Amino acid sequence: MLKGKRAVITGVLQGIGRTALEIFARNGADIFACAYARTDEFESRCEELSVKNGVEISPIYCDMSDNESVKEAAREIQKAKKPVDALINIAGVNRDALFHMITIEQLRESFQINFFSQIIFSQYITKIMLRNGGGGGGGSKSVVFTSSVSAIDGNYGQLAYAASKAALIAAVKTMSKELGRSNIRVNAVAPGVIKSAMTAALPPETIEKKLNKSALKRIGGSDEVANLFLFLASDRSRHITGQTIRIDGGIG
């Protein structure tokens, strides 16, 4: 689905991002793989996926809590002077606390990682897309953010997380209008309960309560979310923009 295309994916060390890296490589994409820390295991995995799938995977290191690190990572991608067809923003953080207990520091950290850094990074990467003529030739470029059903429905004890993810939904609506004239599509994905390190930290009773309210009564897989990213990055979704797509098993 992505043969001949190049994607930038953030948050690829674990969870949904790790799975997305594998699925995008399997589907023929060359990838700038953005991780917050360098490890030998990650470098080896990038090399292995590159050889196995006949694609180019370039590790990029970026601390989303530090705007200068974000800018430096984006500049490194710019210096490569290669076209970018898709940007998949997956990196994020969850700082749960009740409304009366949330601190300003937790709010700032949540918005820094979940919103500010991603907007800054997207500014740089979409400029690369624009310099390469946007989505010409009948195809399109694609930017995808990872929001959450908590941003739409609200959730007990997730004020900072939900608010920062809701900000992305508003940004998607505006960005899609501004970039649409250049055939750059902007969408968001809103996962529900998905098997990941983030949900593993939740109390079992919290997960059970959410699943009981869902139509499918099961936890989602990281591959199911990654395949939605794949669809939105591909030209098969070239008439979809400005949308936030829930992938939550039918949570009521």
Side-chain angles (χ1 to χ4, degrees), residues 2-238:
L2 299 178
K3 186 70 175 178
K5 292 184 178 291
R6 186 178 304 274
V8 178
I9 309 176
T10 72
V12 296
L13 274 187
Q14 60 185 2
I16 295 169
R18 180 186 177 102
T19 304
L21 177 62
E22 296 169 356
I23 287 177
F24 273 57
R26 197 184 309 149
N27 278 271
D30 296 320
I31 304 166
F32 287 108
C34 302
Y36 66 84
R38 183 197 180 283
T39 67
D40 290 339
E41 190 273 338
F42 175 65
E43 293 269 338
S44 297
R45 183 156 52 87
C46 287
E47 178 64 23
E48 180 183 339
L49 286 172
S50 178
V51 172
K52 180 179 179 180
N53 296 286
V55 297
E56 181 182 19
I57 300 180
S58 306
I60 301 288
Y61 298 102
C62 176
D63 180 358
M64 304 300 273
S65 68
D66 181 354
N67 287 339
E68 286 308 310
S69 176
V70 171
K71 293 175 183 178
E72 184 54 40
R75 292 188 194 107
E76 188 175 345
I77 294 171
Q78 287 179 331
K79 288 175 185 175
K81 295 185 178 179
K82 295 177 179 178
V84 172
D85 301 284
L87 167 60
I88 313 298
N89 291 292
I90 302 176
V93 68
N94 187 8
R95 294 291 179 261
D96 286 351
L98 294 173
F99 166 59
H100 282 114
M101 301 299 292
I102 195 79
T103 66
I104 191 65
E105 289 76 19
Q106 289 171 315
L107 282 167
R108 284 181 177 140
E109 182 186 19
S110 296
F111 271 84
Q112 169 60 35
I113 294 174
N114 293 343
F115 183 72
F116 298 138
S117 65
Q118 299 192 32
I119 296 301
I120 292 170
F121 193 64
S122 298
Q123 286 176 324
Y124 277 83
I125 303 304
T126 54
K127 286 177 182 177
I128 298 175
M129 295 178 176
L130 290 168
R131 277 203 295 271
N132 286 279
S140 62
K141 309 288 188 181
S142 177
V143 178
V144 187
F145 291 94
T146 306
S147 183
S148 170
V149 294
S150 294
I152 303 169
D153 301 337
N155 195 31
Y156 192 85
Q158 287 196 319
L159 186 146
Y161 182 71
S164 60
K165 292 293 188 176
L168 288 175
I169 293 175
V172 160
K173 293 178 181 178
T174 297
M175 290 171 64
S176 66
K177 295 181 186 300
E178 292 186 10
L179 298 175
R181 66 190 67 186
S182 299
N183 209 12
I184 298 174
R185 300 179 293 107
V186 188
N187 294 288
V189 168
V193 184
I194 306 297
K195 189 174 182 179
S196 67
M198 192 175 288
T199 54
L202 294 174
E205 59 271 19
T206 299
I207 295 176
E208 184 178 357
K209 184 177 179 180
K210 287 179 176 293
L211 295 181
N212 285 337
K213 292 194 299 181
S214 73
L216 297 183
K217 308 297 183 189
R218 67 171 177 85
I219 195 166
S222 60
D223 61 317
E224 294 172 302
V225 182
N227 275 308
L228 180 53
F229 286 132
L230 174 67
F231 171 68
L232 290 173
S234 77
D235 286 335
R236 297 185 186 185
S237 61
R238 61 182 176 269

